[in-house]
Amino acid sequence: MSYDTARETRIPVKGVRKATAAAMVGSAFTAPHVTEFVTVDVTRTLRLVEELKQDKEFAGLRVNPLLLIAKALLVAIRRHPDINASWDEAAQEIVVKHYVNLGIAAATPRGLIVPNIKDAHAKTLPQLAESLGELVSTAREGKTSPSAMQAGTVTITNVGVFGVDTGTPIINPGESAILAVGAIKPQPWVHKGKVKPRQVTTLALSFDHRLVDGELGSRVLADVAAILEQPKRLISWA
């Protein structure tokens, strides 16, 4: 390995990186974080992704596991709406949101940003796919507007795209929960009484313990896992 003759490089902290750093420090030292984990067999979810790619309703749209994970989280939030809240320190109140602005953490040349899909709870699966595709494309092009990064209520961060199994994500300020999605990998798994290779991932849900107790956080995470194991539940629960 070769090194430059200079012993150090100093990079000014400004712009998106400076704002992100300040927000994350504020969140980490203000909200009491709790993180729970669950390992999930997502083989059927991957099969459904392939089926949807052939569906004419999704023609021209980006269909991937993140789409179904996002929909699963939205269904879980609808079943457990108290997870979708914020803490009002000045008023000493919990504010439960009756809408979901779904944040999607995106790595860009400017750093990590978290634009959100406004009123994601009201979108059909094809509409959600279209919104996700637009969000990702806009972020990669560096054209995300400030308004797109405001008023988020809950976030998904897909660390799996980097080959990472899981993590303990920091909640975005003003939100109560964030779901980290790990890499999907073939693993030996007990399926129908036999050990078989299955597609498996680990989900991690961090939540603000002022707003969300262990029971609520566990139920939300368990719901997301159950839907991804049996994705046809999206039809009955959506």
Side-chain angles (χ1 to χ4, degrees), residues 14-191:
K14 57 185 179 180
V16 171
R17 181 166 293 181
K18 184 174 184 178
T20 299
M24 292 300 98
V25 170
S27 175
F29 290 97
T30 301
H33 283 55
V34 173
T35 305
E36 294 187 343
F37 308 87
V38 64
T39 303
V40 190
D41 176 359
V42 293
T43 305
R44 290 188 179 92
T45 287
L46 296 190
R47 289 174 184 165
L48 181 56
V49 166
E50 294 306 312
E51 290 177 17
L52 294 178
K53 287 180 179 179
Q54 307 304 317
D55 191 313
K56 62 182 181 180
E57 284 192 82
F58 294 86
L61 299 177
R62 184 193 303 267
V63 180
N64 54 27
L66 181 60
L67 169 63
L68 297 187
I69 292 166
K71 188 61 175 179
L73 179 58
L74 291 169
V75 171
I77 290 171
R78 195 179 75 177
R79 288 164 51 83
H80 308 282
D82 288 349
I83 192 80
N84 189 49
S86 63
W87 181 271
D88 187 331
E89 181 65 28
Q92 288 294 290
E93 293 176 339
I94 294 172
V95 183
V96 178
K97 311 294 176 60
H98 301 299
Y99 58 91
V100 182
N101 291 343
L102 180 63
I104 304 293
T108 74
R110 296 189 298 157
L112 184 70
I113 63 173
V114 188
N116 61 76
I117 299 171
K118 301 294 191 280
D119 292 325
H121 67 286
K123 295 183 180 294
T124 64
L125 198 57
Q127 289 170 343
L128 187 62
E130 181 177 10
S131 296
L132 273 171
E134 291 174 352
L135 180 149
V136 171
S137 296
T138 301
R140 287 176 178 172
E141 294 168 3
K143 297 180 180 179
T144 301
S145 66
S147 62
M149 294 186 285
Q150 297 172 354
T153 64
V154 67
T155 292
I156 295 175
T157 179
N158 185 8
V159 298
V161 297
F162 305 108
V164 175
D165 291 333
T166 189
T168 54
I170 297 177
I171 303 162
N172 285 310
E175 300 180 14
S176 63
I178 179 170
L179 179 71
V181 181
I184 299 174
K185 300 177 179 180
Q187 295 184 29
W189 194 262
V190 178
H191 177 69

Side-chain angles (χ1 to χ4, degrees), residues 9 59 89 183 232:
T9 297
E89 181 65 28
K232 290 184 179 180

Side-chain angles (χ1 to χ4, degrees), residues 194-208:
K194 296 182 180 180
V195 177
K196 298 181 178 181
R198 304 286 288 180
Q199 297 295 325
V200 175
T201 190
T202 298
L203 307 176
L205 182 71
S206 290
F207 49 88
D208 184 339

